Amino acid sequence: DLTSLRQFAKHDEAFIRRLAHLFCTTTPPLLAELESHLAQRQLPQLSAAAHHLKSSVGGLNITSLLGTLRLVEAAATSPTPP
């Protein structure tokens, strides 16, 4: 739902399209980084990638992913990671 983003952007559809395009081009490499860091148990890098992706997802108000990304970020910075 892009309602809050549209309000923030004052209904500037060109701006919203640019944000969506940026999200679509930057997200696949971020997901690949996230998976790679998880597979290699590189926890500081995993946390950073989750944080970056969380910011991108939050900017577009994709709330269904925010909780999972928060958990990944928190787990990666925990003194006793899973």
Side-chain angles (χ1 to χ4, degrees), residues 6-77:
R6 281 192 172 92
Q7 289 172 345
F8 172 77
K10 297 183 172 101
H11 299 278
D12 182 345
E13 292 299 319
F15 175 74
I16 293 167
R17 278 192 301 276
R18 284 193 307 272
L19 281 181
H21 175 73
L22 183 63
F23 179 80
C24 289
T25 57
T26 60
T27 299
L30 276 174
L31 287 173
E33 276 185 46
L34 198 75
E35 290 174 343
S36 175
H37 296 315
L38 178 61
Q40 296 176 37
R41 298 198 50 83
Q42 297 170 321
L43 300 182
Q45 296 90 335
L46 176 63
S47 175
H51 182 80
H52 187 166
L53 190 54
K54 185 178 71 175
S55 297
S56 298
V57 164
L60 290 178
N61 200 29
I62 305 173
T63 56
S64 60
L65 295 176
L66 283 175
T68 301
L69 291 169
R70 285 184 185 120
L71 288 173
V72 169
E73 184 180 15
T77 57

